[in-house]
């Protein structure tokens, strides 16, 4: 990715330029407010500048979409199991997680909304497969059994524990590293003994979860980035 400044009708905009295997130039609004351009591998800088100067109305139009809500764009990266994964496209009709390249590949023929949906439902499925069994394993280890367990779609908390409602974990924790997921599971399980964040609660949690501080620090640093798809 190469970022260049371009002057359009007197104002400077950032162009995020990416070379792809495609034959033509594709312009999209970039979430930073500038534009994202996918250009063919053979296009020279001079040819690109000429093309841009000849297509300013196209640029204006794409730019006017830049202020659409973020649900219309795809993030460039997304967290998955603590890995900062790139998002790219491919010509296949389905999502593919390329673990070696830490890249999610989405069908290029889908529009952004559909790509988002596909990625989101993949991650939600992974969350179901990973987080609830993990919670059950910690529950057995600590011999603390919640009434029920479920995933939550809340926008404001990582986990919640109620004596009757049981424990709900935010599905977006699928983005976090495993030790962070472990920490949230144990945090909520300890609430079965200590409902509040009392000294006794932290003492118990730190005793069974020595990595409490680093896990909490990870969530503080990256927690917001786990919400990019909502
Ligand atoms: Zn708590």
């Amino acid at each position: 990715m190469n970022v260049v400044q371009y002057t359009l009708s007197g104002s400077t905009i950032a162009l995020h330029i990416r070379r792809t295997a495609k034959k033509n130039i594709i312009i999209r609004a970039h979430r930073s407010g500038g534009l994202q351009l996918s250009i063919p591998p053979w296009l020279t800088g001079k040819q690109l500048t000429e093309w841009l100067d000849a297509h300013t109305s196209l640029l204006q139009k794409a730019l006017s979409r830049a202020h659409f809500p973020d649900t219309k764009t795809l993030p460039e990266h997304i967290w998955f199991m603590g890995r900062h994964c790139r998002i790219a496209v491919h010509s296949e009709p389905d999502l593919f997680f390329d673990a070696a390249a830490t890249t999610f590949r989405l069908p290029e023929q889908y529009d952004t909304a559909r790509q988002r949906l596909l990625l989101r439902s993949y991650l939600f499925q992974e969350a179901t497969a990973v987080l609830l069994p993990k919670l059950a394993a910690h529950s057995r280890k600590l011999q603390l059994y919640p009434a029920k367990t479920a995933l939550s779609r809340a926008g404001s908390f990582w986990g919640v524990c109620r004596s009757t409602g049981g424990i709900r974990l935010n599905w977006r924790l699928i983005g976090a590293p495993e030790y962070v997921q472990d920490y949230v599971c144990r945090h909520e399980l300890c609430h079965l003994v200590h409902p509040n964040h009392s000294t006794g609660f932290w003492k118990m949690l730190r005793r069974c979860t020595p990595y409490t501080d680093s896990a909490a620090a990870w969530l503080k640093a990256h927690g917001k980035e786990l919400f990019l798809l909502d």
Side-chain angles (χ1 to χ4, degrees), residues 8-33:
L8 183 65
S9 321
S11 54
T12 307
I13 57 166
L15 302 178
H16 301 254
I17 296 167
R18 190 159 69 173
R19 291 194 182 267
T20 64
K22 288 184 189 125
K23 289 197 185 74
N24 38 30
I25 298 175
I26 295 163
I27 315 172
R28 280 196 201 95
H30 190 267
R31 63 189 154 74
S32 66

Side-chain angles (χ1 to χ4, degrees), residues 15-132:
L15 302 178
H16 301 254
I17 296 167
R18 190 159 69 173
R19 291 194 182 267
T20 64
K22 288 184 189 125
K23 289 197 185 74
N24 38 30
I25 298 175
I26 295 163
I27 315 172
R28 280 196 201 95
H30 190 267
R31 63 189 154 74
S32 66
L35 294 174
Q36 180 183 307
L37 269 76
S38 300
I39 63 169
W42 43 261
L43 198 78
T44 65
K46 186 168 175 279
Q47 284 172 321
L48 176 63
T49 309
E50 282 169 4
W51 188 91
L52 290 170
D53 293 344
H55 292 87
T56 50
S57 63
L58 264 184
L59 300 181
Q60 292 282 17
K61 205 171 148 193
L63 205 57
S64 69
R65 293 195 206 109
H67 303 294
F68 270 26
D70 231 14
T71 52
K72 304 276 192 232
T73 66
L74 262 184
E76 276 176 32
H77 288 88
I78 194 117
W79 287 101
F80 177 51
M81 298 297 288
R83 299 171 77 187
H84 202 217
C85 303
R86 210 163 67 85
I87 295 177
V89 292
H90 65 174
S91 53
E92 304 298 321
D94 208 349
L95 178 149
F96 174 65
F97 176 56
D98 185 343
T102 6
T103 300
F104 280 101
R105 302 194 194 282
L106 299 165
E108 64 183 346
Q109 69 266 37
Y110 284 13
D111 63 19
T112 311
R114 209 170 156 200
Q115 288 174 337
R116 274 182 81 92
L117 207 64
L118 190 63
L119 184 57
R120 199 178 181 281
S121 61
Y122 177 89
L123 293 174
F124 191 84
Q125 244 172 33
E126 288 292 312
T128 310
V130 170
L131 298 175
L132 295 180

Side-chain angles (χ1 to χ4, degrees), residues 159-161 183-184 187-188 190-191 194-197 201-202 205:
V160 67
C161 178
Y183 157 74
V184 178
H187 180 120
E188 298 312 327
C190 287
H191 275 318
H194 301 276
N196 302 316
H197 292 126
F201 166 82
W202 288 112
L205 179 59

